[in-house]
Amino acid sequence: MKMIFDAHLDLSLNALEWNRDLRQTVAKIRETERPLPARLNGQAAGTVSLPEMRRGGIGLCVATQIGGCMKPRSFVANWESPSQAWAMTQGQLAWYREMQRLGEMVQITDREGLESHLHRWTDPIAAAERNEPIGYILSLEGSDSIVTLDHLDQAWQYGLRALGPAHYGTGRYAMGHDMQGEFPACGIELVRKMDQLGMILDVTHLNEACFWQAIEIYDGPVWASHQNCRALVDDVRQFSDEQIKAMIDRDGVLGAAFDVWMVVPGFVRGQSTPESIGVTMQHIADHIDHICQLAGNAKHCGIGSDLDGAFGREQSPSDLDTIADLQSLESILAKRGYSDDDVSAIFHGNFLRVLRRA
């Protein structure tokens, strides 16, 4: 088993907004949610918990804070003011701190901490048996909660190491993928401040105009934590080949996202099922392979599953029951001719390269 670095998980959102005790097994969480009246956000069908991550060798992840005040109002994690959004992210931070106190997770903020953690997860099976804490790099999905740039300094001090300026809709600092327009002046200031601090720029969710602006004005390391290919699913949420090539030129990495409407065309929320449209992990591999073909190598793709991003099995590949099934990608990629080194790069090595550079 290879260690997996999942570059996008909304763990604190699930713990606080969906009221999930992620220390429990996925089966126990589903059982707890089954009697509830409304079936929303993957209720009784979730795929992510800390024990299941250990079982699947996912010893390291990018874990998010998320609290926006975008217009029009987003369907998730959206508040009426920046101060409310900031307060939400601070509650999420408190949850991560509590997981650290309990020995469930450990925050990675520097190179020394990263290398020490990787050493403990050299053998993922043994690490899981020892119940090693899962490492996390703290990221902010959408920048609306950054009330002022002084708040960004505070966030850096408490360990924020990556930031995606946009989510859905019109943000305070950037335009989401579903909007038109460029960065406002304050957004350019934010990106430049990130550059000064040394934060990783997550270009996921940026619309095309903001994406190209960001690539031009930001000099530091970039990644797209959970991003698929427009050539395979023609939607503005996905990246065009030109955007992917720009990421390759910047030595960036794109994490394959598992939300099936981003994986295959034609999925309709509330109507389609993964089984009815036949989406499987093979289709995830198609997106990974497309990036590799554009790059001519396997150095610019990884995994950013987003498996807990307000959905569950009803919107995941049909052959995936829990996040532990990410391991099945190894045999899928091997059968397509990917070497053992290639698979290791995709599972963790490529995102680690960006982290080490940062």
Side-chain angles (χ1 to χ4, degrees), residues 84-173:
Q84 287 171 279
W86 171 262
M88 184 62 190
T89 64
Q90 298 315 289
Q92 293 165 351
L93 178 65
W95 180 80
Y96 288 121
R97 294 286 188 258
E98 179 64 6
M99 290 303 100
Q100 288 183 243
R101 187 187 70 80
L102 295 173
E104 294 283 348
M105 301 181 74
V106 60
Q107 187 176 12
I108 310 298
T109 61
D110 55 31
R111 177 70 177 268
E112 182 180 0
L114 175 64
E115 302 302 341
S116 175
H117 182 75
L118 292 174
H119 179 73
R120 291 193 295 272
W121 276 85
T122 301
D123 181 344
I125 295 175
E129 290 174 349
R130 295 193 303 267
N131 208 39
E132 288 283 352
I134 293 168
Y136 73 98
I137 291 88
L138 190 64
S139 180
L140 179 63
E141 184 172 23
S143 57
D144 283 18
S145 62
I146 302 298
V147 184
T148 70
L149 292 188
D150 288 340
H151 288 72
L152 188 62
D153 283 317
Q154 292 181 51
W156 174 263
Q157 291 301 317
Y158 65 62
L160 187 70
R161 292 295 179 264
L163 191 155
H167 197 215
Y168 287 81
T170 299
R172 296 175 57 228
Y173 294 99

Coordinates of all heavy atoms in Angstrom, one line a residue, residues 84-173:
Q84 N -18.9 37.3 10.1 CA -19.6 36.0 10.4 C -18.8 34.9 9.7 O -18.6 33.8 10.3 CB -21.0 36.0 9.8 CG -22.0 36.8 10.6 CD -23.3 36.9 9.8 OE1 -23.5 37.7 8.9 NE2 -24.3 36.1 10.2
A85 N -18.3 35.1 8.5 CA -17.6 34.1 7.8 C -16.2 33.8 8.5 O -15.8 32.6 8.7 CB -17.3 34.5 6.4
W86 N -15.6 34.9 9.0 CA -14.3 34.7 9.8 C -14.6 33.9 11.0 O -13.9 33.0 11.4 CB -13.8 36.1 10.1 CG -12.6 36.0 11.1 CD1 -12.7 36.2 12.4 CD2 -11.2 35.7 10.8 NE1 -11.4 36.1 13.0 CE2 -10.5 35.8 12.0 CE3 -10.5 35.5 9.6 CZ2 -9.1 35.6 12.1 CZ3 -9.2 35.3 9.7 CH2 -8.5 35.3 10.9
A87 N -15.7 34.2 11.7 CA -16.0 33.5 12.9 C -16.2 32.0 12.7 O -15.8 31.1 13.5 CB -17.3 34.1 13.6
M88 N -16.9 31.7 11.5 CA -17.1 30.3 11.2 C -15.7 29.6 11.0 O -15.5 28.5 11.4 CB -17.9 30.2 9.9 CG -18.2 28.8 9.5 SD -19.2 27.9 10.7 CE -19.2 26.3 10.1
T89 N -14.8 30.2 10.3 CA -13.5 29.6 10.1 C -12.8 29.4 11.4 O -12.0 28.4 11.5 CB -12.6 30.4 9.1 OG1 -12.3 31.7 9.6 CG2 -13.3 30.6 7.7
Q90 N -13.0 30.3 12.3 CA -12.3 30.1 13.6 C -12.9 29.0 14.4 O -12.2 28.3 15.2 CB -12.4 31.4 14.4 CG -11.7 32.6 13.7 CD -10.3 32.3 13.2 OE1 -9.4 32.0 13.9 NE2 -10.2 32.2 11.8
G91 N -14.2 28.8 14.3 CA -14.8 27.6 14.8 C -14.2 26.3 14.2 O -13.9 25.3 14.9
Q92 N -14.0 26.3 12.9 CA -13.4 25.2 12.2 C -12.0 25.0 12.7 O -11.5 23.8 12.9 CB -13.5 25.4 10.7 CG -14.9 25.4 10.2 CD -15.0 26.0 8.8 OE1 -14.1 26.5 8.2 NE2 -16.2 25.9 8.2
L93 N -11.2 26.1 12.9 CA -9.9 25.9 13.4 C -9.9 25.3 14.8 O -9.0 24.4 15.1 CB -9.2 27.3 13.5 CG -7.8 27.4 14.0 CD1 -6.8 26.6 13.2 CD2 -7.4 28.8 14.2
A94 N -10.9 25.7 15.6 CA -11.0 25.1 17.0 C -11.2 23.6 16.9 O -10.7 22.8 17.7 CB -12.1 25.8 17.7
W95 N -12.0 23.1 15.9 CA -12.2 21.7 15.7 C -10.9 21.0 15.4 O -10.5 19.9 16.0 CB -13.2 21.4 14.7 CG -13.5 19.9 14.5 CD1 -14.2 19.1 15.3 CD2 -12.9 19.1 13.5 NE1 -14.2 17.8 14.8 CE2 -13.4 17.8 13.8 CE3 -12.0 19.3 12.4 CZ2 -13.0 16.7 13.0 CZ3 -11.7 18.2 11.6 CH2 -12.1 16.9 11.9
Y96 N -10.1 21.5 14.5 CA -8.8 20.9 14.1 C -7.9 20.9 15.4 O -7.2 19.9 15.6 CB -8.1 21.7 13.0 CG -8.7 21.5 11.6 CD1 -9.2 22.6 10.9 CD2 -8.8 20.2 11.1 CE1 -9.8 22.4 9.7 CE2 -9.4 20.1 9.8 CZ -9.9 21.2 9.1 OH -10.5 21.0 7.9
R97 N -7.9 21.9 16.2 CA -7.1 22.0 17.4 C -7.5 20.9 18.3 O -6.7 20.2 19.0 CB -7.2 23.3 18.0 CG -6.6 24.5 17.3 CD -5.1 24.5 17.3 NE -4.5 25.7 16.7 CZ -4.0 25.7 15.5 NH1 -4.0 24.6 14.7 NH2 -3.4 26.8 15.0
E98 N -8.8 20.6 18.4 CA -9.3 19.6 19.3 C -8.9 18.2 18.8 O -8.6 17.3 19.6 CB -10.8 19.7 19.4 CG -11.5 18.6 20.3 CD -11.1 18.7 21.8 OE1 -10.4 19.6 22.2 OE2 -11.5 17.7 22.5
M99 N -8.9 18.0 17.5 CA -8.5 16.7 16.9 C -7.0 16.5 17.2 O -6.5 15.4 17.5 CB -8.7 16.7 15.4 CG -10.2 16.6 15.0 SD -11.1 15.2 15.7 CE -11.9 15.9 17.1
Q100 N -6.2 17.6 17.2 CA -4.8 17.5 17.6 C -4.7 17.1 19.0 O -3.8 16.3 19.4 CB -4.1 18.8 17.3 CG -3.9 19.1 15.8 CD -3.1 20.4 15.6 OE1 -3.6 21.4 15.1 NE2 -1.9 20.5 16.1
R101 N -5.4 17.7 19.9 CA -5.4 17.4 21.3 C -5.7 16.0 21.6 O -5.0 15.4 22.5 CB -6.3 18.3 22.1 CG -6.2 18.2 23.6 CD -7.3 18.9 24.4 NE -8.6 18.3 24.2 CZ -9.0 17.2 24.9 NH1 -8.2 16.7 25.8 NH2 -10.2 16.7 24.7
L102 N -6.6 15.4 20.8 CA -7.0 14.0 21.0 C -6.0 13.0 20.3 O -6.2 11.8 20.4 CB -8.4 13.8 20.5 CG -9.5 14.6 21.3 CD1 -10.8 14.4 20.6 CD2 -9.6 14.0 22.7
G103 N -5.0 13.6 19.6 CA -4.1 12.7 18.9 C -4.6 12.2 17.6 O -4.0 11.2 17.0
E104 N -5.7 12.7 17.1 CA -6.2 12.2 15.8 C -5.6 12.8 14.6 O -5.5 12.2 13.5 CB -7.7 12.5 15.7 CG -8.6 11.8 16.8 CD -8.8 10.3 16.4 OE1 -8.5 10.0 15.3 OE2 -9.3 9.6 17.3
M105 N -5.1 14.1 14.7 CA -4.6 14.8 13.6 C -3.4 15.6 14.1 O -3.2 15.8 15.3 CB -5.6 15.8 12.9 CG -6.8 15.1 12.4 SD -8.0 16.2 11.6 CE -7.2 16.6 10.1
V106 N -2.5 16.0 13.1 CA -1.4 16.9 13.5 C -1.2 17.9 12.3 O -1.2 17.5 11.1 CB -0.1 16.1 13.7 CG1 0.3 15.3 12.5 CG2 1.1 17.0 14.1
Q107 N -1.0 19.1 12.7 CA -0.9 20.2 11.7 C 0.5 20.3 11.2 O 1.5 20.2 12.0 CB -1.3 21.5 12.2 CG -1.4 22.6 11.1 CD -1.9 23.9 11.7 OE1 -2.0 24.1 12.9 NE2 -2.2 24.9 10.8
I108 N 0.7 20.4 9.9 CA 2.0 20.5 9.2 C 2.1 21.9 8.8 O 1.4 22.4 7.9 CB 2.2 19.5 8.0 CG1 1.8 18.1 8.4 CG2 3.6 19.6 7.5 CD1 2.6 17.5 9.5
T109 N 3.1 22.7 9.3 CA 3.3 24.1 8.9 C 4.7 24.4 8.4 O 4.9 25.5 7.9 CB 3.1 25.0 10.2 OG1 4.0 24.6 11.2 CG2 1.7 24.8 10.7
D110 N 5.6 23.4 8.4 CA 7.0 23.7 7.9 C 7.6 22.5 7.4 O 7.1 21.4 7.6 CB 7.8 24.4 9.0 CG 7.9 23.6 10.3 OD1 7.9 22.4 10.2 OD2 8.1 24.2 11.3
R111 N 8.8 22.6 6.8 CA 9.5 21.5 6.1 C 9.9 20.4 7.2 O 9.7 19.2 6.9 CB 10.7 22.0 5.4 CG 11.6 21.0 4.7 CD 10.9 20.4 3.5 NE 11.8 19.4 2.9 CZ 12.6 19.7 1.9 NH1 12.6 21.0 1.4 NH2 13.3 18.8 1.3
E112 N 10.3 20.9 8.3 CA 10.8 19.9 9.3 C 9.6 19.0 9.8 O 9.7 17.8 9.9 CB 11.4 20.6 10.5 CG 11.9 19.7 11.6 CD 12.4 20.5 12.8 OE1 12.5 21.7 12.8 OE2 12.9 19.8 13.8
G113 N 8.4 19.7 10.0 CA 7.3 18.9 10.4 C 6.8 18.0 9.4 O 6.3 16.9 9.7
L114 N 6.9 18.4 8.1 CA 6.5 17.6 7.0 C 7.3 16.3 6.9 O 6.8 15.2 6.9 CB 6.6 18.3 5.7 CG 6.3 17.5 4.4 CD1 4.9 17.1 4.4 CD2 6.6 18.4 3.2
E115 N 8.6 16.5 7.0 CA 9.5 15.3 6.8 C 9.4 14.4 8.0 O 9.4 13.1 7.9 CB 11.0 15.8 6.7 CG 11.2 16.7 5.5 CD 10.9 16.1 4.2 OE1 10.7 14.9 4.0 OE2 10.7 16.9 3.2
S116 N 9.2 14.9 9.2 CA 9.0 14.1 10.4 C 7.7 13.3 10.3 O 7.7 12.1 10.6 CB 9.0 15.0 11.6 OG 8.7 14.2 12.8
H117 N 6.7 13.9 9.8 CA 5.4 13.2 9.6 C 5.5 12.1 8.5 O 5.0 11.0 8.7 CB 4.3 14.2 9.3 CG 3.0 13.5 9.1 ND1 2.2 13.1 10.2 CD2 2.2 13.2 8.0 CE1 1.1 12.5 9.8 NE2 1.1 12.6 8.5
L118 N 6.1 12.4 7.4 CA 6.3 11.4 6.4 C 7.1 10.2 6.8 O 6.8 9.1 6.4 CB 7.0 12.0 5.2 CG 6.2 13.1 4.4 CD1 7.0 13.7 3.3 CD2 4.9 12.5 3.8
H119 N 8.0 10.4 7.7 CA 8.8 9.3 8.3 C 7.9 8.4 9.0 O 8.1 7.1 8.9 CB 9.9 9.8 9.1 CG 10.8 8.8 9.8 ND1 11.7 8.0 9.1 CD2 10.8 8.3 11.1 CE1 12.3 7.1 9.9 NE2 11.8 7.3 11.1
R120 N 7.0 8.9 9.8 CA 6.1 8.1 10.6 C 5.1 7.3 9.7 O 4.5 6.3 10.1 CB 5.3 8.9 11.6 CG 6.1 9.5 12.7 CD 5.3 10.1 13.8 NE 4.5 11.2 13.4 CZ 4.9 12.5 13.4 NH1 6.1 12.7 13.9 NH2 4.1 13.5 13.1
W121 N 4.9 7.8 8.5 CA 3.9 7.2 7.6 C 4.6 6.4 6.4 O 4.0 6.1 5.4 CB 2.9 8.2 7.0 CG 1.8 8.4 7.9 CD1 1.7 9.3 9.0 CD2 0.5 7.8 7.9 NE1 0.5 9.2 9.6 CE2 -0.3 8.3 9.0 CE3 0.0 6.8 7.1 CZ2 -1.5 7.8 9.2 CZ3 -1.3 6.4 7.3 CH2 -2.1 6.9 8.4
T122 N 5.9 6.1 6.6 CA 6.6 5.4 5.5 C 5.9 4.1 5.2 O 5.8 3.7 4.0 CB 8.1 5.1 6.0 OG1 8.7 6.3 6.3 CG2 8.9 4.4 4.9
D123 N 5.5 3.4 6.2 CA 4.7 2.2 6.0 C 3.2 2.5 6.4 O 2.9 2.5 7.6 CB 5.2 1.0 6.9 CG 4.5 -0.3 6.7 OD1 3.4 -0.3 6.2 OD2 5.0 -1.3 7.1
P124 N 2.3 2.8 5.5 CA 1.0 3.2 5.9 C 0.2 2.1 6.7 O -0.6 2.5 7.5 CB 0.3 3.4 4.5 CG 1.4 3.7 3.6 CD 2.6 2.8 4.0
I125 N 0.4 0.9 6.4 CA -0.3 -0.2 7.1 C 0.1 -0.2 8.6 O -0.7 -0.2 9.5 CB 0.0 -1.6 6.5 CG1 -0.6 -1.6 5.1 CG2 -0.6 -2.7 7.3 CD1 -0.3 -2.9 4.3
A126 N 1.4 -0.1 8.8 CA 1.9 0.0 10.2 C 1.5 1.2 10.9 O 1.1 1.2 12.1 CB 3.5 -0.2 10.2
A127 N 1.5 2.4 10.1 CA 1.0 3.6 10.7 C -0.4 3.5 11.2 O -0.8 4.1 12.2 CB 1.2 4.8 9.7
A128 N -1.2 2.9 10.3 CA -2.7 2.8 10.7 C -2.8 1.9 11.9 O -3.6 2.2 12.8 CB -3.4 2.2 9.5
E129 N -2.0 0.8 12.0 CA -2.1 -0.1 13.1 C -1.7 0.6 14.4 O -2.2 0.4 15.5 CB -1.2 -1.3 12.9 CG -1.8 -2.2 11.8 CD -0.8 -3.4 11.5 OE1 0.4 -3.3 12.0 OE2 -1.2 -4.3 10.8
R130 N -0.8 1.6 14.3 CA -0.3 2.4 15.5 C -1.3 3.5 15.8 O -1.1 4.2 16.7 CB 1.1 2.9 15.2 CG 2.2 1.9 15.1 CD 3.6 2.6 15.2 NE 3.7 3.6 14.2 CZ 4.3 3.4 13.0 NH1 4.7 2.2 12.6 NH2 4.4 4.4 12.1
N131 N -2.3 3.7 14.9 CA -3.2 4.8 15.0 C -2.5 6.1 15.0 O -2.8 7.1 15.8 CB -4.0 4.7 16.3 CG -5.4 5.3 16.2 OD1 -6.0 5.2 15.1 ND2 -5.8 6.0 17.2
E132 N -1.6 6.3 14.1 CA -0.8 7.5 13.9 C -1.8 8.7 13.5 O -2.8 8.5 12.8 CB 0.2 7.4 12.8 CG 1.4 6.5 13.1 CD 2.4 7.2 14.1 OE1 2.3 8.5 14.3 OE2 3.4 6.6 14.5
P133 N -1.5 9.9 14.0 CA -2.3 11.0 13.6 C -2.2 11.3 12.1 O -1.2 11.0 11.5 CB -1.8 12.2 14.5 CG -0.4 11.8 14.9 CD -0.4 10.3 15.0
I134 N -3.3 11.7 11.6 CA -3.3 12.1 10.1 C -2.8 13.5 10.0 O -3.3 14.4 10.7 CB -4.7 12.0 9.6 CG1 -5.1 10.5 9.5 CG2 -4.8 12.6 8.2 CD1 -6.6 10.3 9.2
G135 N -1.8 13.8 9.2 CA -1.2 15.1 9.0 C -2.1 15.9 8.1 O -2.8 15.4 7.2
Y136 N -2.2 17.2 8.4 CA -3.0 18.1 7.5 C -2.3 19.4 7.3 O -1.6 20.0 8.2 CB -4.4 18.3 8.1 CG -4.5 19.2 9.3 CD1 -4.8 20.6 9.2 CD2 -4.2 18.7 10.6 CE1 -4.9 21.4 10.3 CE2 -4.3 19.5 11.7 CZ -4.7 20.9 11.6 OH -4.7 21.7 12.7
I137 N -2.4 19.9 6.1 CA -2.0 21.3 5.8 C -3.2 22.1 5.7 O -4.2 21.7 5.0 CB -1.2 21.3 4.4 CG1 0.1 20.6 4.5 CG2 -1.0 22.7 3.9 CD1 0.1 19.1 4.3
L138 N -3.3 23.2 6.4 CA -4.5 24.0 6.5 C -4.6 24.9 5.3 O -3.7 25.6 4.9 CB -4.5 24.8 7.8 CG -5.8 25.5 8.1 CD1 -6.9 24.5 8.4 CD2 -5.6 26.4 9.4
S139 N -5.8 24.8 4.7 CA -6.1 25.7 3.5 C -7.4 26.3 3.7 O -8.3 25.9 4.4 CB -6.2 24.8 2.2 OG -6.4 25.5 1.1
L140 N -7.6 27.5 3.0 CA -8.9 28.2 3.1 C -9.5 28.2 1.7 O -8.9 28.6 0.7 CB -8.6 29.7 3.5 CG -9.8 30.6 3.6 CD1 -10.8 30.1 4.6 CD2 -9.4 32.0 3.9
E141 N -10.7 27.7 1.6 CA -11.4 27.6 0.3 C -12.3 28.8 0.2 O -13.4 28.9 0.8 CB -12.2 26.3 0.2 CG -12.9 26.1 -1.2 CD -13.5 24.8 -1.4 OE1 -13.8 24.1 -0.4 OE2 -13.7 24.4 -2.5
G142 N -11.9 29.7 -0.7 CA -12.6 31.0 -0.8 C -12.1 32.0 0.2 O -11.9 31.6 1.4
S143 N -11.9 33.2 -0.2 CA -11.2 34.2 0.7 C -12.1 35.2 1.3 O -11.6 36.1 2.0 CB -10.1 34.9 -0.1 OG -10.6 35.5 -1.2
D144 N -13.4 35.0 1.2 CA -14.3 36.0 1.7 C -14.2 36.3 3.2 O -14.5 37.4 3.7 CB -15.8 35.6 1.4 CG -16.2 35.9 0.0 OD1 -15.2 36.0 -0.8 OD2 -17.4 35.9 -0.3
S145 N -13.8 35.3 4.0 CA -13.7 35.4 5.4 C -12.5 36.2 5.9 O -12.3 36.5 7.1 CB -13.6 34.0 6.1 OG -12.5 33.3 5.6
I146 N -11.6 36.5 4.9 CA -10.4 37.4 5.3 C -10.9 38.8 5.3 O -11.0 39.5 4.3 CB -9.3 37.2 4.2 CG1 -8.8 35.8 4.1 CG2 -8.1 38.1 4.6 CD1 -8.3 35.2 5.4
V147 N -11.3 39.3 6.5 CA -12.0 40.5 6.7 C -11.1 41.7 6.2 O -11.5 42.6 5.5 CB -12.4 40.8 8.2 CG1 -13.2 42.1 8.3 CG2 -13.2 39.6 8.7
T148 N -9.8 41.7 6.6 CA -8.8 42.6 6.2 C -7.5 41.8 5.9 O -7.4 40.7 6.4 CB -8.5 43.7 7.2 OG1 -7.9 43.1 8.3 CG2 -9.9 44.4 7.7
L149 N -6.5 42.5 5.3 CA -5.3 41.8 5.1 C -4.6 41.5 6.4 O -3.7 40.6 6.5 CB -4.4 42.6 4.2 CG -4.9 42.7 2.7 CD1 -3.8 43.3 1.8 CD2 -5.2 41.3 2.2
D150 N -4.9 42.2 7.5 CA -4.4 41.9 8.8 C -4.9 40.5 9.2 O -4.2 39.8 9.9 CB -4.8 42.9 9.8 CG -4.0 44.3 9.7 OD1 -3.0 44.3 9.0 OD2 -4.5 45.3 10.2
H151 N -6.1 40.2 8.9 CA -6.6 38.8 9.2 C -5.8 37.8 8.4 O -5.7 36.6 8.9 CB -8.1 38.8 8.8 CG -9.0 39.5 9.7 ND1 -9.0 40.9 9.7 CD2 -9.9 39.1 10.7 CE1 -9.9 41.3 10.6 NE2 -10.5 40.2 11.2
L152 N -5.3 38.1 7.2 CA -4.5 37.1 6.5 C -3.2 36.9 7.3 O -2.7 35.7 7.4 CB -4.2 37.6 5.1 CG -3.5 36.6 4.2 CD1 -4.4 35.3 4.0 CD2 -3.2 37.2 2.8
D153 N -2.6 37.9 7.9 CA -1.4 37.8 8.7 C -1.7 36.9 9.9 O -0.9 36.0 10.3 CB -0.9 39.1 9.2 CG -0.2 39.9 8.2 OD1 0.6 39.3 7.5 OD2 -0.4 41.1 8.1
Q154 N -2.9 37.1 10.5 CA -3.3 36.2 11.7 C -3.4 34.8 11.2 O -3.0 33.8 11.9 CB -4.6 36.7 12.2 CG -4.6 38.0 12.9 CD -6.0 38.4 13.5 OE1 -6.7 37.6 14.1 NE2 -6.5 39.5 13.1
A155 N -4.0 34.6 10.0 CA -4.2 33.2 9.5 C -2.8 32.5 9.3 O -2.7 31.3 9.6 CB -5.0 33.2 8.2
W156 N -1.9 33.3 8.7 CA -0.6 32.7 8.5 C 0.0 32.3 9.9 O 0.6 31.2 10.0 CB 0.4 33.7 7.9 CG 1.8 33.3 7.7 CD1 2.8 33.6 8.6 CD2 2.3 32.4 6.7 NE1 4.0 33.0 8.2 CE2 3.7 32.2 7.0 CE3 1.8 31.7 5.6 CZ2 4.5 31.4 6.3 CZ3 2.6 30.9 4.9 CH2 3.9 30.8 5.2
Q157 N -0.2 33.1 10.9 CA 0.4 32.8 12.2 C -0.2 31.5 12.8 O 0.5 30.7 13.5 CB 0.2 34.0 13.2 CG 1.0 35.2 12.8 CD 2.5 34.9 12.8 OE1 3.0 34.2 13.7 NE2 3.2 35.4 11.8
Y158 N -1.5 31.3 12.6 CA -2.1 30.0 13.1 C -1.9 28.8 12.2 O -2.4 27.8 12.4 CB -3.5 30.2 13.6 CG -4.6 30.5 12.5 CD1 -4.9 29.6 11.5 CD2 -5.4 31.7 12.7 CE1 -5.9 29.9 10.6 CE2 -6.4 31.9 11.8 CZ -6.7 31.0 10.8 OH -7.7 31.3 9.9
G159 N -1.2 29.0 11.1 CA -0.8 27.9 10.3 C -1.5 27.7 8.9 O -1.3 26.7 8.3
L160 N -2.2 28.7 8.4 CA -2.8 28.7 7.1 C -1.6 28.7 6.1 O -0.8 29.6 6.1 CB -3.7 29.8 6.9 CG -4.5 29.8 5.5 CD1 -5.6 28.6 5.6 CD2 -5.2 31.1 5.2
R161 N -1.6 27.7 5.2 CA -0.5 27.6 4.3 C -0.9 27.6 2.8 O -0.1 27.6 1.9 CB 0.3 26.3 4.6 CG 1.1 26.4 5.9 CD 2.1 27.5 5.9 NE 2.9 27.7 7.1 CZ 2.6 28.5 8.1 NH1 1.6 29.4 7.9 NH2 3.3 28.6 9.2
A162 N -2.2 27.5 2.5 CA -2.7 27.5 1.2 C -4.0 28.2 1.2 O -4.8 28.2 2.2 CB -2.8 26.1 0.6
L163 N -4.3 28.9 0.0 CA -5.6 29.7 0.0 C -6.0 29.7 -1.5 O -5.3 30.0 -2.4 CB -5.3 31.1 0.5 CG -6.6 32.0 0.7 CD1 -6.2 33.1 1.7 CD2 -7.0 32.7 -0.6
G164 N -7.3 29.4 -1.6 CA -8.0 29.6 -2.9 C -8.9 30.8 -2.9 O -9.8 30.9 -2.1
P165 N -8.6 31.9 -3.6 CA -9.3 33.1 -3.5 C -10.8 33.0 -3.8 O -11.6 33.9 -3.3 CB -8.6 34.1 -4.5 CG -7.2 33.5 -4.6 CD -7.4 32.0 -4.5
A166 N -11.2 32.1 -4.6 CA -12.6 32.0 -5.0 C -13.3 30.7 -4.6 O -12.7 29.7 -4.3 CB -12.7 32.1 -6.6
H167 N -14.6 30.7 -4.6 CA -15.5 29.6 -4.5 C -16.6 29.7 -5.5 O -16.2 30.0 -6.7 CB -16.0 29.4 -3.0 CG -16.5 28.0 -2.8 ND1 -17.6 27.7 -2.0 CD2 -16.1 26.8 -3.2 CE1 -17.8 26.4 -1.9 NE2 -16.9 25.8 -2.7
Y168 N -17.8 29.6 -5.2 CA -18.9 29.9 -6.1 C -19.3 31.4 -6.0 O -19.0 32.0 -5.0 CB -20.1 29.1 -5.7 CG -20.0 27.6 -6.1 CD1 -19.3 26.7 -5.2 CD2 -20.6 27.1 -7.2 CE1 -19.2 25.4 -5.5 CE2 -20.4 25.7 -7.6 CZ -19.8 24.9 -6.7 OH -19.7 23.6 -7.0
G169 N -19.9 31.9 -7.1 CA -20.4 33.2 -7.1 C -19.4 34.3 -7.2 O -18.2 34.1 -7.4
T170 N -19.9 35.5 -6.9 CA -19.0 36.7 -6.8 C -18.5 36.9 -5.4 O -19.3 37.2 -4.5 CB -19.9 38.0 -7.2 OG1 -20.3 37.8 -8.6 CG2 -19.0 39.2 -7.2
G171 N -17.2 36.7 -5.3 CA -16.6 36.8 -4.0 C -16.1 38.3 -3.8 O -16.0 39.1 -4.7
R172 N -15.7 38.5 -2.5 CA -15.1 39.8 -2.2 C -13.8 40.1 -2.9 O -13.5 41.2 -3.2 CB -15.0 40.0 -0.7 CG -16.3 39.9 0.1 CD -16.0 39.9 1.6 NE -15.3 41.1 2.0 CZ -14.2 41.1 2.8 NH1 -13.7 40.0 3.2 NH2 -13.6 42.2 3.1
Y173 N -13.0 39.0 -3.1 CA -11.7 39.2 -3.6 C -11.5 38.6 -5.0 O -10.5 38.9 -5.7 CB -10.7 38.5 -2.7 CG -10.5 39.2 -1.3 CD1 -11.2 38.6 -0.2 CD2 -9.8 40.3 -1.1 CE1 -11.1 39.2 1.1 CE2 -9.6 40.9 0.1 CZ -10.3 40.3 1.2 OH -10.2 40.9 2.5

